[in-house]
Amino acid sequence: MEFDVGARLKQIREQHGLSQRALAQLAGVTNGTISLIEQNRSSPSVSSLRKVLQGIPMTLAEFFSSDDLPPPEQIFFKGSELIELAGELKGTVGQVSFRQVGDLRSRNLQILHERYAPGADTGRTMLQHESEEGGIVVRGQIELTVGDRKQLLGPGDAYFFDSRIPHRFRNIGDVECELISACTPPYL
């Protein structure tokens, strides 16, 4: 079942008593951006949806969460129990999926199973947040840009950096890239 990003954004905006114009002003985007997303005429990148949600403020995890979150004390998780945070967000060409381990209500560490379809990326706008993050590529290749440094990483390669430095993930290959990552404090 597909997640309706536009309907969810409209629902949340209205719950917070915001007009499209007010949310756009708070988020630092155009009114048209909000309108196009809500009408599902624009599929936002991870970075652009994150920017819009900062105007509320709300994390991607909260945006995509459902009412059936696992209990905070749960320790073990089946693959089917991971929480999809961005399965319907599109990159430049392909889809990006972030599946989170557990519920973050009482956690300071976010662990993700990430997948980038060929051509997918987190968006032209570089991500930047108060965290540290690291990960290991399991399959495929990912181009990671951190500040003015860029590296193509393949299976077994890893990264670890200060997330306050602007960064971007991009699959420039022709096969899906899969990686496992961690971020503290949680960002998405």
Side-chain angles (χ1 to χ4, degrees):
M1 183 174 174
E2 286 193 25
F3 187 91
D4 190 335
V5 173
R8 176 73 169 149
L9 180 60
K10 182 177 181 179
Q11 172 195 24
I12 289 167
R13 176 182 58 75
E14 290 176 346
Q15 283 175 348
H16 284 83
L18 297 170
S19 66
Q20 287 182 346
R21 190 171 313 283
L23 176 56
Q25 189 173 28
L26 288 169
V29 300
T30 66
N31 182 45
T33 298
I34 305 297
S35 177
L36 290 172
I37 293 171
E38 286 187 0
Q39 295 174 44
N40 288 313
R41 292 180 51 208
S42 171
S43 182
S45 68
V46 173
S47 60
S48 61
L49 182 57
R50 176 81 171 102
K51 184 174 184 176
V52 167
L53 294 177
Q54 286 175 332
I56 292 177
M58 172 180 274
T59 66
L60 282 175
E62 292 166 326
F63 182 81
F64 285 102
S65 70
S66 62
D67 294 331
D68 57 345
L69 291 174
E73 67 276 359
Q74 184 172 346
I75 296 172
F76 304 105
F77 300 85
K78 299 282 187 192
S80 61
E81 294 176 313
L82 300 184
I83 301 165
E84 180 65 58
L85 301 184
E88 296 304 317
L89 295 181
K90 306 293 186 211
T92 305
V93 175
Q95 187 170 340
V96 177
S97 170
F98 296 137
R99 295 174 58 225
Q100 176 178 284
V101 177
D103 174 27
L104 299 181
R105 287 177 285 195
S106 62
R107 306 287 184 195
N108 293 315
L109 175 68
Q110 183 174 46
I111 302 171
L112 298 173
H113 178 220
E114 302 182 37
R115 291 185 176 184
Y116 296 82
D121 66 53
T122 53
R124 279 182 255 146
T125 303
M126 302 274 267
L127 300 170
Q128 191 172 6
H129 47 96
E130 294 287 329
S131 299
E132 288 184 315
E133 63 187 274
I136 299 173
V137 177
V138 175
R139 181 170 52 95
Q141 293 184 319
I142 196 83
E143 178 188 82
L144 175 57
T145 303
V146 180
D148 60 357
R149 299 169 68 185
K150 188 181 292 188
Q151 182 75 39
L152 185 61
L153 304 171
D157 293 340
Y159 60 90
F160 185 52
F161 62 92
D162 182 332
S163 306
R164 292 176 294 184
I165 302 169
H167 54 282
R168 176 184 185 189
F169 293 84
R170 209 166 64 116
N171 182 349
I172 60 173
D174 56 0
V175 298
E176 181 179 74
C177 178
E178 180 179 1
L179 56 97
I180 304 299
S181 69
C183 182
T184 185
Y187 166 65
L188 296 174

